[in-house]
Short mmCIF file of all heavy atoms in Angstrom, two decimals:
data_model
loop_
_atom_site.label_atom_id
_atom_site.label_comp_id
_atom_site.label_asym_id
_atom_site.label_seq_id
_atom_site.Cartn_x
_atom_site.Cartn_y
_atom_site.Cartn_z
N ALA S 1 0.85 -1.20 0.00
CA ALA S 1 0.01 -0.01 0.00
C ALA S 1 0.88 1.26 -0.01
O ALA S 1 2.06 1.20 0.32
CB ALA S 1 -0.92 -0.03 1.23
N GLU S 2 0.29 2.37 -0.35
CA GLU S 2 1.01 3.63 -0.32
C GLU S 2 1.46 3.89 1.11
O GLU S 2 0.84 3.45 2.06
CB GLU S 2 0.11 4.76 -0.79
CG GLU S 2 -0.51 4.54 -2.19
CD GLU S 2 0.53 4.67 -3.30
OE1 GLU S 2 1.52 5.43 -3.14
OE2 GLU S 2 0.35 4.03 -4.34
N ALA S 3 2.52 4.66 1.30
CA ALA S 3 3.12 4.90 2.61
C ALA S 3 2.14 5.59 3.58
O ALA S 3 2.20 5.33 4.78
CB ALA S 3 4.38 5.73 2.44
N HIS S 4 1.26 6.43 3.10
CA HIS S 4 0.36 7.20 3.99
C HIS S 4 -0.99 6.45 4.24
O HIS S 4 -1.82 6.95 4.92
CB HIS S 4 0.12 8.58 3.38
CG HIS S 4 -0.57 8.55 2.06
ND1 HIS S 4 0.09 8.28 0.91
CD2 HIS S 4 -1.86 8.74 1.71
CE1 HIS S 4 -0.76 8.31 -0.10
NE2 HIS S 4 -1.95 8.59 0.37
N ILE S 5 -1.15 5.29 3.66
CA ILE S 5 -2.37 4.52 3.84
C ILE S 5 -2.14 3.38 4.84
O ILE S 5 -1.17 2.65 4.71
CB ILE S 5 -2.84 3.91 2.48
CG1 ILE S 5 -3.12 5.01 1.46
CG2 ILE S 5 -4.01 2.99 2.67
CD1 ILE S 5 -4.28 5.91 1.82
N ALA S 6 -2.99 3.27 5.84
CA ALA S 6 -2.87 2.17 6.80
C ALA S 6 -3.19 0.85 6.15
O ALA S 6 -4.22 0.72 5.46
CB ALA S 6 -3.77 2.44 8.00
N ALA S 7 -2.36 -0.11 6.39
CA ALA S 7 -2.59 -1.46 5.89
C ALA S 7 -2.58 -2.42 7.05
O ALA S 7 -1.93 -2.14 8.11
CB ALA S 7 -1.49 -1.85 4.88
N PRO S 8 -3.29 -3.51 6.97
CA PRO S 8 -3.33 -4.45 8.08
C PRO S 8 -1.93 -5.02 8.34
O PRO S 8 -1.13 -5.18 7.43
CB PRO S 8 -4.29 -5.55 7.65
CG PRO S 8 -4.46 -5.34 6.20
CD PRO S 8 -4.11 -3.97 5.85
N ASP S 9 -1.65 -5.31 9.62
CA ASP S 9 -0.37 -5.90 10.00
C ASP S 9 -0.60 -6.96 11.05
O ASP S 9 -1.74 -7.37 11.27
CB ASP S 9 0.63 -4.84 10.46
CG ASP S 9 0.16 -4.05 11.69
OD1 ASP S 9 -0.74 -4.56 12.41
OD2 ASP S 9 0.68 -2.95 11.94
N ALA S 10 0.44 -7.39 11.70
CA ALA S 10 0.32 -8.49 12.70
C ALA S 10 -0.53 -8.08 13.87
O ALA S 10 -1.02 -8.96 14.60
CB ALA S 10 1.72 -8.90 13.14
N ASN S 11 -0.69 -6.79 14.12
CA ASN S 11 -1.51 -6.34 15.25
C ASN S 11 -2.96 -5.96 14.91
O ASN S 11 -3.71 -5.57 15.80
CB ASN S 11 -0.84 -5.14 15.92
CG ASN S 11 0.53 -5.50 16.47
OD1 ASN S 11 0.67 -6.51 17.14
ND2 ASN S 11 1.53 -4.72 16.14
N THR S 12 -3.33 -6.16 13.68
CA THR S 12 -4.66 -5.79 13.22
C THR S 12 -5.70 -6.71 13.86
O THR S 12 -5.52 -7.92 13.89
CB THR S 12 -4.74 -5.88 11.68
OG1 THR S 12 -3.85 -4.96 11.12
CG2 THR S 12 -6.16 -5.56 11.19
N ILE S 13 -6.78 -6.11 14.31
CA ILE S 13 -7.89 -6.89 14.86
C ILE S 13 -8.99 -6.92 13.79
O ILE S 13 -9.59 -5.92 13.49
CB ILE S 13 -8.41 -6.29 16.18
CG1 ILE S 13 -7.29 -6.30 17.19
CG2 ILE S 13 -9.64 -7.05 16.65
CD1 ILE S 13 -7.63 -5.62 18.47
N TRP S 14 -9.15 -8.08 13.20
CA TRP S 14 -10.15 -8.28 12.14
C TRP S 14 -11.51 -8.56 12.72
O TRP S 14 -11.63 -9.18 13.77
CB TRP S 14 -9.70 -9.41 11.23
CG TRP S 14 -8.42 -9.17 10.50
CD1 TRP S 14 -7.17 -9.31 10.98
CD2 TRP S 14 -8.33 -8.77 9.15
NE1 TRP S 14 -6.27 -9.00 10.00
CE2 TRP S 14 -6.91 -8.67 8.88
CE3 TRP S 14 -9.22 -8.51 8.11
CZ2 TRP S 14 -6.46 -8.31 7.60
CZ3 TRP S 14 -8.74 -8.14 6.89
CH2 TRP S 14 -7.38 -8.05 6.62
N GLN S 15 -12.59 -8.15 12.04
CA GLN S 15 -13.94 -8.50 12.41
C GLN S 15 -14.41 -9.65 11.64
O GLN S 15 -14.11 -9.79 10.41
CB GLN S 15 -14.87 -7.27 12.12
CG GLN S 15 -14.43 -6.01 12.81
CD GLN S 15 -14.50 -6.14 14.34
OE1 GLN S 15 -15.46 -6.62 14.90
NE2 GLN S 15 -13.40 -5.71 14.99
N SER S 16 -15.18 -10.55 12.26
CA SER S 16 -15.72 -11.70 11.55
C SER S 16 -17.21 -11.80 11.74
O SER S 16 -17.78 -11.13 12.58
CB SER S 16 -15.05 -13.00 12.06
OG SER S 16 -15.57 -13.33 13.32
N GLY S 17 -17.81 -12.66 10.95
CA GLY S 17 -19.26 -12.89 11.03
C GLY S 17 -19.63 -13.88 12.14
O GLY S 17 -20.76 -14.22 12.31
N GLY S 18 -18.60 -14.42 12.86
CA GLY S 18 -18.87 -15.34 13.94
C GLY S 18 -19.03 -16.77 13.53
O GLY S 18 -19.37 -17.59 14.38
N ARG S 19 -18.84 -17.10 12.28
CA ARG S 19 -19.03 -18.44 11.83
C ARG S 19 -17.75 -19.25 12.07
O ARG S 19 -16.63 -18.74 11.97
CB ARG S 19 -19.34 -18.41 10.35
CG ARG S 19 -19.48 -19.72 9.64
CD ARG S 19 -19.81 -19.48 8.21
NE ARG S 19 -21.20 -19.87 8.06
CZ ARG S 19 -21.87 -19.78 6.94
NH1 ARG S 19 -21.28 -19.33 5.86
NH2 ARG S 19 -23.12 -20.13 6.86
N SER S 20 -17.89 -20.55 12.34
CA SER S 20 -16.73 -21.44 12.50
C SER S 20 -16.27 -21.98 11.16
O SER S 20 -17.11 -22.33 10.29
CB SER S 20 -17.11 -22.63 13.40
OG SER S 20 -17.41 -22.21 14.72
N LEU S 21 -14.98 -22.07 10.96
CA LEU S 21 -14.43 -22.57 9.73
C LEU S 21 -14.63 -24.06 9.62
O LEU S 21 -14.38 -24.81 10.56
CB LEU S 21 -12.92 -22.24 9.65
CG LEU S 21 -12.15 -22.77 8.47
CD1 LEU S 21 -12.65 -22.12 7.18
CD2 LEU S 21 -10.64 -22.51 8.64
N SER S 22 -15.09 -24.51 8.46
CA SER S 22 -15.23 -25.92 8.14
C SER S 22 -15.10 -26.09 6.64
O SER S 22 -15.17 -25.09 5.89
CB SER S 22 -16.58 -26.47 8.65
OG SER S 22 -17.63 -26.01 7.84
N PRO S 23 -14.94 -27.33 6.11
CA PRO S 23 -14.88 -27.46 4.68
C PRO S 23 -16.11 -26.91 3.95
O PRO S 23 -16.04 -26.47 2.80
CB PRO S 23 -14.76 -28.97 4.47
CG PRO S 23 -14.07 -29.45 5.74
CD PRO S 23 -14.67 -28.58 6.81
N GLU S 24 -17.26 -26.91 4.61
CA GLU S 24 -18.51 -26.41 3.97
C GLU S 24 -18.71 -24.91 4.19
O GLU S 24 -19.54 -24.31 3.53
CB GLU S 24 -19.72 -27.14 4.55
CG GLU S 24 -19.74 -28.64 4.24
CD GLU S 24 -18.89 -29.42 5.20
OE1 GLU S 24 -18.70 -28.99 6.35
OE2 GLU S 24 -18.43 -30.51 4.81
N HIS S 25 -17.98 -24.30 5.11
CA HIS S 25 -18.20 -22.92 5.49
C HIS S 25 -16.89 -22.12 5.60
O HIS S 25 -16.22 -22.23 6.61
CB HIS S 25 -18.96 -22.80 6.83
CG HIS S 25 -20.30 -23.45 6.79
ND1 HIS S 25 -20.55 -24.69 7.31
CD2 HIS S 25 -21.47 -23.02 6.27
CE1 HIS S 25 -21.81 -24.99 7.11
NE2 HIS S 25 -22.39 -24.01 6.50
N PRO S 26 -16.57 -21.34 4.58
CA PRO S 26 -15.41 -20.45 4.70
C PRO S 26 -15.70 -19.33 5.71
O PRO S 26 -16.88 -19.10 6.04
CB PRO S 26 -15.24 -19.89 3.29
CG PRO S 26 -16.55 -20.05 2.63
CD PRO S 26 -17.22 -21.20 3.28
N VAL S 27 -14.67 -18.68 6.16
CA VAL S 27 -14.81 -17.56 7.11
C VAL S 27 -14.33 -16.29 6.42
O VAL S 27 -13.33 -16.28 5.74
CB VAL S 27 -13.92 -17.81 8.36
CG1 VAL S 27 -13.87 -16.58 9.26
CG2 VAL S 27 -14.46 -19.00 9.14
N LYS S 28 -15.13 -15.21 6.57
CA LYS S 28 -14.74 -13.93 6.01
C LYS S 28 -14.39 -12.98 7.15
O LYS S 28 -15.12 -12.82 8.09
CB LYS S 28 -15.88 -13.33 5.17
CG LYS S 28 -15.50 -11.99 4.54
CD LYS S 28 -16.65 -11.38 3.80
CE LYS S 28 -16.73 -11.95 2.43
NZ LYS S 28 -17.68 -11.23 1.57
N LEU S 29 -13.19 -12.36 7.02
CA LEU S 29 -12.71 -11.38 7.97
C LEU S 29 -12.64 -10.05 7.28
O LEU S 29 -12.29 -9.97 6.14
CB LEU S 29 -11.33 -11.80 8.53
CG LEU S 29 -11.22 -13.18 9.11
CD1 LEU S 29 -9.77 -13.50 9.44
CD2 LEU S 29 -12.10 -13.32 10.34
N GLU S 30 -12.98 -8.98 8.03
CA GLU S 30 -12.96 -7.63 7.44
C GLU S 30 -12.26 -6.65 8.37
O GLU S 30 -12.34 -6.79 9.60
CB GLU S 30 -14.39 -7.10 7.19
CG GLU S 30 -15.15 -7.93 6.19
CD GLU S 30 -16.55 -7.35 5.92
OE1 GLU S 30 -16.87 -6.26 6.47
OE2 GLU S 30 -17.28 -7.96 5.16
N TRP S 31 -11.61 -5.66 7.75
CA TRP S 31 -10.98 -4.55 8.46
C TRP S 31 -11.08 -3.31 7.59
O TRP S 31 -10.81 -3.39 6.40
CB TRP S 31 -9.55 -4.88 8.83
CG TRP S 31 -8.83 -3.84 9.61
CD1 TRP S 31 -9.08 -3.53 10.92
CD2 TRP S 31 -7.83 -2.95 9.17
NE1 TRP S 31 -8.24 -2.49 11.31
CE2 TRP S 31 -7.46 -2.12 10.24
CE3 TRP S 31 -7.17 -2.78 7.95
CZ2 TRP S 31 -6.48 -1.18 10.16
CZ3 TRP S 31 -6.17 -1.81 7.84
CH2 TRP S 31 -5.86 -1.01 8.95
N GLN S 32 -11.47 -2.20 8.19
CA GLN S 32 -11.61 -0.96 7.43
C GLN S 32 -10.71 0.14 8.00
O GLN S 32 -10.55 0.22 9.21
CB GLN S 32 -13.07 -0.48 7.45
CG GLN S 32 -14.00 -1.45 6.76
CD GLN S 32 -15.39 -0.90 6.64
OE1 GLN S 32 -15.59 0.32 6.54
NE2 GLN S 32 -16.37 -1.78 6.62
N SER S 33 -10.18 0.96 7.10
CA SER S 33 -9.32 2.08 7.49
C SER S 33 -9.28 3.11 6.39
O SER S 33 -8.92 2.78 5.25
CB SER S 33 -7.90 1.58 7.82
OG SER S 33 -7.07 2.67 8.13
N GLY S 34 -9.66 4.33 6.70
CA GLY S 34 -9.52 5.45 5.77
C GLY S 34 -10.12 5.27 4.39
O GLY S 34 -9.52 5.60 3.39
N GLY S 35 -11.28 4.66 4.29
CA GLY S 35 -11.95 4.48 3.00
C GLY S 35 -11.54 3.19 2.31
O GLY S 35 -12.02 2.91 1.22
N LEU S 36 -10.71 2.40 2.93
CA LEU S 36 -10.32 1.12 2.36
C LEU S 36 -10.93 0.01 3.19
O LEU S 36 -10.95 0.06 4.43
CB LEU S 36 -8.81 0.93 2.32
CG LEU S 36 -8.04 1.95 1.49
CD1 LEU S 36 -6.57 1.69 1.67
CD2 LEU S 36 -8.45 1.83 0.05
N ARG S 37 -11.45 -1.01 2.52
CA ARG S 37 -11.97 -2.18 3.21
C ARG S 37 -11.18 -3.41 2.74
O ARG S 37 -11.14 -3.71 1.58
CB ARG S 37 -13.45 -2.41 2.94
CG ARG S 37 -14.00 -3.60 3.75
CD ARG S 37 -15.49 -3.75 3.64
NE ARG S 37 -15.76 -4.28 2.32
CZ ARG S 37 -16.91 -4.09 1.64
NH1 ARG S 37 -17.84 -3.36 2.19
NH2 ARG S 37 -17.07 -4.59 0.49
N TYR S 38 -10.56 -4.06 3.70
CA TYR S 38 -9.78 -5.29 3.42
C TYR S 38 -10.65 -6.45 3.82
O TYR S 38 -11.23 -6.48 4.90
CB TYR S 38 -8.50 -5.29 4.24
CG TYR S 38 -7.53 -4.15 3.94
CD1 TYR S 38 -7.70 -2.90 4.52
CD2 TYR S 38 -6.49 -4.32 3.05
CE1 TYR S 38 -6.82 -1.87 4.26
CE2 TYR S 38 -5.59 -3.31 2.76
CZ TYR S 38 -5.77 -2.08 3.37
OH TYR S 38 -4.91 -1.06 3.10
N GLU S 39 -10.75 -7.45 2.94
CA GLU S 39 -11.49 -8.64 3.24
C GLU S 39 -10.60 -9.85 3.02
O GLU S 39 -9.94 -9.96 1.98
CB GLU S 39 -12.72 -8.78 2.34
CG GLU S 39 -13.78 -7.72 2.59
CD GLU S 39 -15.00 -7.93 1.68
OE1 GLU S 39 -15.03 -8.87 0.90
OE2 GLU S 39 -15.91 -7.10 1.78
N LYS S 40 -10.59 -10.75 4.00
CA LYS S 40 -9.88 -12.00 3.90
C LYS S 40 -10.88 -13.11 3.96
O LYS S 40 -11.68 -13.19 4.92
CB LYS S 40 -8.95 -12.17 5.10
CG LYS S 40 -7.51 -12.08 4.85
CD LYS S 40 -6.71 -12.42 6.11
CE LYS S 40 -5.59 -11.45 6.25
NZ LYS S 40 -4.69 -11.78 7.35
N THR S 41 -10.87 -13.99 2.96
CA THR S 41 -11.75 -15.16 3.00
C THR S 41 -10.85 -16.37 3.19
O THR S 41 -9.93 -16.59 2.39
CB THR S 41 -12.57 -15.27 1.72
OG1 THR S 41 -13.34 -14.09 1.58
CG2 THR S 41 -13.49 -16.47 1.79
N ILE S 42 -11.08 -17.11 4.25
CA ILE S 42 -10.29 -18.31 4.58
C ILE S 42 -11.16 -19.52 4.38
O ILE S 42 -12.25 -19.60 4.99
CB ILE S 42 -9.75 -18.27 6.01
CG1 ILE S 42 -8.93 -16.99 6.20
CG2 ILE S 42 -8.93 -19.52 6.30
CD1 ILE S 42 -8.55 -16.73 7.62
N SER S 43 -10.75 -20.42 3.50
CA SER S 43 -11.50 -21.66 3.26
C SER S 43 -10.58 -22.84 3.48
O SER S 43 -9.37 -22.72 3.47
CB SER S 43 -12.11 -21.67 1.88
OG SER S 43 -11.14 -21.53 0.89
N MET S 44 -11.19 -24.00 3.64
CA MET S 44 -10.47 -25.21 3.91
C MET S 44 -11.14 -26.35 3.17
O MET S 44 -12.37 -26.42 3.11
CB MET S 44 -10.51 -25.46 5.42
CG MET S 44 -10.04 -26.79 5.92
SD MET S 44 -10.08 -26.88 7.73
CE MET S 44 -11.80 -26.94 8.06
N ASP S 45 -10.35 -27.25 2.56
CA ASP S 45 -10.96 -28.40 1.88
C ASP S 45 -11.02 -29.59 2.81
O ASP S 45 -10.65 -29.53 3.98
CB ASP S 45 -10.27 -28.72 0.56
CG ASP S 45 -8.88 -29.28 0.73
OD1 ASP S 45 -8.49 -29.71 1.84
OD2 ASP S 45 -8.12 -29.33 -0.27
N GLU S 46 -11.54 -30.69 2.33
CA GLU S 46 -11.73 -31.89 3.14
C GLU S 46 -10.41 -32.53 3.62
O GLU S 46 -10.37 -33.35 4.55
CB GLU S 46 -12.60 -32.94 2.40
CG GLU S 46 -11.94 -33.54 1.20
CD GLU S 46 -12.10 -32.68 -0.07
OE1 GLU S 46 -12.68 -31.61 -0.02
OE2 GLU S 46 -11.60 -33.08 -1.13
N HIS S 47 -9.27 -32.10 3.01
CA HIS S 47 -7.96 -32.56 3.45
C HIS S 47 -7.23 -31.56 4.31
O HIS S 47 -6.03 -31.67 4.53
CB HIS S 47 -7.09 -32.91 2.19
CG HIS S 47 -7.76 -33.91 1.29
ND1 HIS S 47 -7.92 -35.21 1.63
CD2 HIS S 47 -8.30 -33.75 0.07
CE1 HIS S 47 -8.53 -35.87 0.68
NE2 HIS S 47 -8.78 -34.97 -0.30
N TYR S 48 -7.97 -30.55 4.77
CA TYR S 48 -7.48 -29.50 5.67
C TYR S 48 -6.39 -28.63 5.02
O TYR S 48 -5.52 -28.08 5.68
CB TYR S 48 -6.97 -30.09 7.01
CG TYR S 48 -8.06 -30.83 7.73
CD1 TYR S 48 -8.13 -32.20 7.65
CD2 TYR S 48 -9.04 -30.13 8.44
CE1 TYR S 48 -9.17 -32.91 8.27
CE2 TYR S 48 -10.08 -30.81 9.06
CZ TYR S 48 -10.14 -32.18 8.98
OH TYR S 48 -11.16 -32.84 9.60
N MET S 49 -6.50 -28.50 3.70
CA MET S 49 -5.61 -27.55 2.97
C MET S 49 -6.35 -26.20 2.92
O MET S 49 -7.50 -26.15 2.59
CB MET S 49 -5.33 -28.04 1.56
CG MET S 49 -4.58 -29.36 1.50
SD MET S 49 -2.92 -29.24 2.17
CE MET S 49 -2.14 -28.20 0.97
N PHE S 50 -5.62 -25.15 3.31
CA PHE S 50 -6.22 -23.82 3.42
C PHE S 50 -6.01 -22.99 2.19
O PHE S 50 -4.99 -23.08 1.52
CB PHE S 50 -5.60 -23.08 4.61
CG PHE S 50 -5.98 -23.60 5.94
CD1 PHE S 50 -5.27 -24.62 6.53
CD2 PHE S 50 -7.09 -23.16 6.61
CE1 PHE S 50 -5.60 -25.14 7.75
CE2 PHE S 50 -7.50 -23.64 7.84
CZ PHE S 50 -6.72 -24.66 8.42
N THR S 51 -7.01 -22.14 1.89
CA THR S 51 -6.91 -21.12 0.84
C THR S 51 -7.26 -19.80 1.53
O THR S 51 -8.25 -19.71 2.22
CB THR S 51 -7.87 -21.40 -0.32
OG1 THR S 51 -7.57 -22.67 -0.88
CG2 THR S 51 -7.75 -20.29 -1.38
N VAL S 52 -6.39 -18.78 1.32
CA VAL S 52 -6.65 -17.46 1.87
C VAL S 52 -6.69 -16.50 0.71
O VAL S 52 -5.73 -16.39 -0.05
CB VAL S 52 -5.57 -17.05 2.89
CG1 VAL S 52 -5.81 -15.68 3.42
CG2 VAL S 52 -5.47 -18.06 4.00
N GLU S 53 -7.80 -15.80 0.58
CA GLU S 53 -7.99 -14.84 -0.50
C GLU S 53 -8.17 -13.46 0.10
O GLU S 53 -8.96 -13.27 1.00
CB GLU S 53 -9.23 -15.22 -1.29
CG GLU S 53 -9.49 -14.40 -2.51
CD GLU S 53 -10.69 -14.93 -3.28
OE1 GLU S 53 -10.71 -16.10 -3.58
OE2 GLU S 53 -11.59 -14.11 -3.55
N LEU S 54 -7.39 -12.48 -0.37
CA LEU S 54 -7.43 -11.12 0.15
C LEU S 54 -7.91 -10.20 -0.94
O LEU S 54 -7.37 -10.21 -2.05
CB LEU S 54 -6.07 -10.67 0.68
CG LEU S 54 -5.98 -9.25 1.23
CD1 LEU S 54 -6.86 -9.05 2.44
CD2 LEU S 54 -4.52 -8.91 1.56
N THR S 55 -8.92 -9.35 -0.61
CA THR S 55 -9.37 -8.36 -1.56
C THR S 55 -9.38 -6.98 -0.87
O THR S 55 -9.53 -6.92 0.37
CB THR S 55 -10.78 -8.62 -2.11
OG1 THR S 55 -11.69 -8.71 -1.01
CG2 THR S 55 -10.81 -9.91 -2.88
N VAL S 56 -9.21 -5.93 -1.61
CA VAL S 56 -9.24 -4.57 -1.08
C VAL S 56 -10.22 -3.77 -1.87
O VAL S 56 -10.17 -3.74 -3.12
CB VAL S 56 -7.82 -3.91 -1.17
CG1 VAL S 56 -7.89 -2.50 -0.60
CG2 VAL S 56 -6.78 -4.74 -0.45
N SER S 57 -11.15 -3.09 -1.18
CA SER S 57 -12.12 -2.21 -1.82
C SER S 57 -11.73 -0.79 -1.49
O SER S 57 -11.52 -0.44 -0.31
CB SER S 57 -13.52 -2.47 -1.33
OG SER S 57 -13.89 -3.81 -1.60
N ASN S 58 -11.61 0.06 -2.53
CA ASN S 58 -11.19 1.44 -2.36
C ASN S 58 -12.35 2.40 -2.54
O ASN S 58 -12.83 2.56 -3.65
CB ASN S 58 -10.08 1.73 -3.37
CG ASN S 58 -9.48 3.14 -3.25
OD1 ASN S 58 -9.91 3.90 -2.37
ND2 ASN S 58 -8.55 3.46 -4.10
N ALA S 59 -12.81 3.04 -1.46
CA ALA S 59 -13.88 4.02 -1.53
C ALA S 59 -13.33 5.44 -1.48
O ALA S 59 -14.06 6.40 -1.31
CB ALA S 59 -14.87 3.79 -0.42
N THR S 60 -12.02 5.58 -1.62
CA THR S 60 -11.40 6.93 -1.61
C THR S 60 -11.41 7.46 -3.03
O THR S 60 -11.73 6.75 -3.99
CB THR S 60 -9.95 6.92 -1.10
OG1 THR S 60 -9.13 6.29 -2.06
CG2 THR S 60 -9.84 6.18 0.22
N ASN S 61 -11.03 8.73 -3.21
CA ASN S 61 -10.92 9.32 -4.54
C ASN S 61 -9.51 9.19 -5.07
O ASN S 61 -9.20 9.80 -6.10
CB ASN S 61 -11.29 10.80 -4.49
CG ASN S 61 -12.78 10.98 -4.18
OD1 ASN S 61 -13.60 10.16 -4.54
ND2 ASN S 61 -13.12 12.03 -3.46
N GLU S 62 -8.69 8.41 -4.43
CA GLU S 62 -7.28 8.29 -4.76
C GLU S 62 -7.02 6.92 -5.46
O GLU S 62 -7.51 5.90 -5.04
CB GLU S 62 -6.50 8.36 -3.46
CG GLU S 62 -5.04 8.56 -3.63
CD GLU S 62 -4.37 8.82 -2.29
OE1 GLU S 62 -5.04 9.08 -1.29
OE2 GLU S 62 -3.13 8.75 -2.22
N ALA S 63 -6.23 6.99 -6.52
CA ALA S 63 -5.79 5.71 -7.14
C ALA S 63 -4.65 5.15 -6.34
O ALA S 63 -3.66 5.85 -6.04
CB ALA S 63 -5.32 5.98 -8.57
N LEU S 64 -4.76 3.91 -5.92
CA LEU S 64 -3.72 3.26 -5.09
C LEU S 64 -3.21 2.02 -5.75
O LEU S 64 -3.96 1.36 -6.52
CB LEU S 64 -4.33 2.90 -3.73
CG LEU S 64 -4.91 4.06 -2.87
CD1 LEU S 64 -5.63 3.53 -1.68
CD2 LEU S 64 -3.81 5.00 -2.49
N THR S 65 -1.97 1.68 -5.47
CA THR S 65 -1.37 0.47 -6.00
C THR S 65 -0.98 -0.40 -4.84
O THR S 65 -0.36 0.05 -3.90
CB THR S 65 -0.11 0.80 -6.82
OG1 THR S 65 -0.48 1.72 -7.88
CG2 THR S 65 0.51 -0.43 -7.42
N PHE S 66 -1.35 -1.68 -4.89
CA PHE S 66 -1.05 -2.64 -3.87
C PHE S 66 -0.22 -3.74 -4.48
O PHE S 66 -0.40 -4.10 -5.64
CB PHE S 66 -2.30 -3.24 -3.27
CG PHE S 66 -3.10 -2.26 -2.48
CD1 PHE S 66 -4.03 -1.41 -3.09
CD2 PHE S 66 -2.92 -2.11 -1.11
CE1 PHE S 66 -4.74 -0.48 -2.37
CE2 PHE S 66 -3.62 -1.16 -0.40
CZ PHE S 66 -4.54 -0.36 -1.03
N TYR S 67 0.66 -4.34 -3.67
CA TYR S 67 1.49 -5.44 -4.12
C TYR S 67 1.30 -6.62 -3.19
O TYR S 67 1.20 -6.43 -1.98
CB TYR S 67 2.96 -5.02 -4.11
CG TYR S 67 3.25 -3.88 -5.04
CD1 TYR S 67 3.28 -2.56 -4.57
CD2 TYR S 67 3.43 -4.07 -6.43
CE1 TYR S 67 3.50 -1.50 -5.42
CE2 TYR S 67 3.65 -3.02 -7.27
CZ TYR S 67 3.69 -1.73 -6.76
OH TYR S 67 3.93 -0.68 -7.63
N PRO S 68 1.25 -7.85 -3.73
CA PRO S 68 1.09 -9.02 -2.87
C PRO S 68 2.32 -9.25 -2.04
O PRO S 68 3.45 -9.07 -2.48
CB PRO S 68 0.85 -10.15 -3.88
CG PRO S 68 1.48 -9.69 -5.15
CD PRO S 68 1.37 -8.20 -5.16
N TYR S 69 2.06 -9.66 -0.80
CA TYR S 69 3.15 -9.97 0.12
C TYR S 69 2.59 -10.93 1.15
O TYR S 69 1.47 -10.75 1.65
CB TYR S 69 3.67 -8.71 0.82
CG TYR S 69 4.70 -8.99 1.86
CD1 TYR S 69 6.01 -9.23 1.52
CD2 TYR S 69 4.34 -9.03 3.21
CE1 TYR S 69 6.96 -9.51 2.52
CE2 TYR S 69 5.29 -9.29 4.21
CZ TYR S 69 6.59 -9.52 3.86
OH TYR S 69 7.50 -9.80 4.81
N GLY S 70 3.30 -11.96 1.46
CA GLY S 70 2.84 -12.91 2.46
C GLY S 70 3.98 -13.42 3.29
O GLY S 70 5.15 -13.45 2.85
N LEU S 71 3.71 -13.72 4.55
CA LEU S 71 4.71 -14.23 5.45
C LEU S 71 4.04 -15.33 6.25
O LEU S 71 3.01 -15.13 6.92
CB LEU S 71 5.21 -13.13 6.37
CG LEU S 71 6.16 -13.54 7.48
CD1 LEU S 71 7.47 -14.07 6.90
CD2 LEU S 71 6.43 -12.37 8.40
N ILE S 72 4.62 -16.50 6.23
CA ILE S 72 4.15 -17.56 7.09
C ILE S 72 5.19 -17.76 8.18
O ILE S 72 6.37 -17.92 7.89
CB ILE S 72 3.96 -18.86 6.27
CG1 ILE S 72 2.89 -18.65 5.21
CG2 ILE S 72 3.60 -20.02 7.19
CD1 ILE S 72 2.69 -19.83 4.30
N ASN S 73 4.69 -17.68 9.38
CA ASN S 73 5.59 -17.69 10.52
C ASN S 73 5.43 -18.97 11.32
O ASN S 73 4.38 -19.46 11.55
CB ASN S 73 5.30 -16.48 11.39
CG ASN S 73 6.44 -16.16 12.34
OD1 ASN S 73 7.33 -16.94 12.53
ND2 ASN S 73 6.31 -14.98 12.91
#
């Protein structure tokens, strides 16, 4: 994200719909900051392999560029 735009980090507290993750039910997490809405959808298959999809919705009047980055710890 741009330097002046807040992006989620390790200390971000995400909001969820309260649903438990299962192969039949993915979980959607959301966090909003300064006109941006970040959504993470976490799904799991029957072999417990995870898929994490991140989308960003921009409601600002500014064109922003984002780059993918991931860290598994």
Side-chain angles (χ1 to χ4, degrees):
E2 304 288 332
H4 62 282
I5 299 295
D9 61 19
N11 297 312
T12 298
I13 299 173
W14 295 81
Q15 302 298 313
S16 75
R19 177 179 253 179
S20 295
L21 177 64
S22 72
E24 297 82 26
H25 298 102
V27 171
K28 182 183 276 189
L29 305 174
E30 296 183 4
W31 182 70
Q32 295 187 31
S33 177
L36 298 175
R37 184 174 72 207
Y38 297 84
E39 292 182 1
K40 249 186 222 187
T41 302
I42 304 170
S43 58
M44 169 177 71
D45 70 15
E46 65 277 1
H47 303 291
Y48 302 99
M49 297 295 292
F50 290 89
T51 299
V52 179
E53 185 176 308
L54 177 64
T55 58
V56 181
S57 300
N58 182 1
T60 70
N61 292 328
E62 193 172 348
L64 302 172
T65 302
F66 292 86
Y67 299 97
Y69 174 80
L71 174 66
I72 297 177
N73 199 347

